[in-house]
Amino acid sequence: MGRYGNGASLEDIACVAGCSEGAVKLYSQRCFRAIDAVHNAFVCLPTAAEKEWEKCWIDEHLGFKGTWQEGWVMYDGTIVPLYAKPAVNGEAYFTHKSNYGLNLQIDLIMLQVGNLPSNLQIVDYSHGLTGSAHDAWAFEHTAAAKYPDWFFQGEEFAWADSAYGISPRTIPVHKKPAALLPENAAFDYAVANIQVRSEHCMGALKGRFQCLRGLRVNINSNSQHVAACQWLTICIILHNVVIEVEGGQHGAYFAGQHGREEEEEDRGPHDEPQERGNPDGEAKRQKLVEELFAFQNM
């Protein structure tokens, strides 16, 4: 799982391991089943106490208290490139970067204890949609979008980029021309400073599990599509296991191996902003803008 490109060939792994190619495949399947069995133990919602810790981190990061602290979580999407065009509905996997891939949406929490770096734990995700799917559509398949009243409590919400639709539970940055207003630009800049954690999470995930940079799995049937998605699930579980067992420093250890340039190489330009609005969401975002403006002009 730490390989991609020609180095990830079944023949090469079998040669290094000193076993047959069939054994490599069989051992991998058995390990996947064992890891998947502990999914719910490592990929789950934070407790109330953990949420409060996240909110305190937001307060400390911004320097003031307010509604901003309710945004304890953020969403972002990435593309997991495939090494070959799928034989079934191959065009649907085609991405902005003129390659073929799977869409992966993740949701991470930012946990900081003392001087330790952020804990890039993934608490919600969705995959299975093809590379041509818009991030906003992929987000609709996450737990936060499908069960918002279960995922969020009170005034809680998630941060997102402009590709996502706005609602009381999802607050994206502004799109042009609204983004050109000084107070909105300041808001977007502050959100970007928080949401950079999502880039770190993508880097940590893809940097450690290089298979996500070029998944060498044939997709010639629906069952093989499901099998390809299982690779993503296993990587997410192991990512959280590392954080749980070894701590946030080890979880982010490989973040530098997959930076912004590598991510742009995988996914290409970000999706176009969503046009649909939501009056309640707009009102909530405006409240956040006003809170930040009041703090900066104290």
Side-chain angles (χ1 to χ4, degrees), residues 71-217:
W72 58 270
V73 69
M74 64 187 65
Y75 278 84
D76 199 3
T78 188
I79 295 295
V80 177
L82 301 171
Y83 88 104
K85 177 182 177 180
V88 178
N89 301 321
E91 292 74 14
Y93 294 80
F94 200 67
T95 72
H96 293 304
K97 197 61 179 178
S98 299
N99 58 11
Y100 299 89
L102 296 168
N103 187 297
L104 173 63
Q105 292 285 311
I106 67 166
D107 162 13
L108 58 118
I109 62 174
M110 305 158 294
L111 179 59
Q112 187 162 324
V113 182
N115 293 324
L116 294 178
S118 297
N119 183 343
L120 306 178
Q121 182 182 358
I122 298 172
V123 297
D124 185 22
Y125 66 92
S126 74
H127 58 52
L129 294 181
T130 58
S132 61
H134 194 285
D135 276 351
W137 172 241
F139 172 71
E140 294 299 322
H141 294 76
T142 62
K146 296 176 71 174
Y147 314 106
D149 294 334
W150 169 76
F151 195 87
F152 298 107
Q153 303 294 326
E155 292 294 316
E156 293 175 353
F157 62 91
W159 301 106
D161 61 39
S162 60
Y164 295 75
I166 189 170
S167 75
R169 296 302 193 187
T170 309
I171 303 297
V173 296
H174 296 85
K175 60 183 180 181
K176 293 181 179 180
L180 300 177
L181 295 175
E183 59 271 24
N184 290 346
F187 169 86
D188 295 344
Y189 181 77
V191 173
N193 283 336
I194 297 173
Q195 201 171 5
V196 70
R197 304 295 184 180
S198 64
E199 294 183 13
H200 297 165
C201 184
M202 295 296 188
L205 188 65
K206 286 188 171 182
R208 184 182 297 274
F209 303 108
Q210 294 278 310
C211 62
L212 299 181
R213 295 215 56 206
L215 194 60
R216 296 185 68 85
V217 177

Side-chain angles (χ1 to χ4, degrees), residues 2 13 55 60 68 92 94 99 126 152 181 220 229 231 254 278 297:
I13 296 173
K55 295 175 182 180
E60 294 176 3
W68 281 68
F94 200 67
N99 58 11
S126 74
F152 298 107
L181 295 175
N220 299 321
C229 291
W231 281 74
F254 287 92
N278 180 292
N297 289 275

Side-chain angles (χ1 to χ4, degrees), residues 237-249:
I237 296 172
L238 291 178
H239 170 82
N240 281 3
V241 169
V242 171
I243 293 173
E244 181 72 21
V245 175
E246 300 186 358
Q249 284 183 316

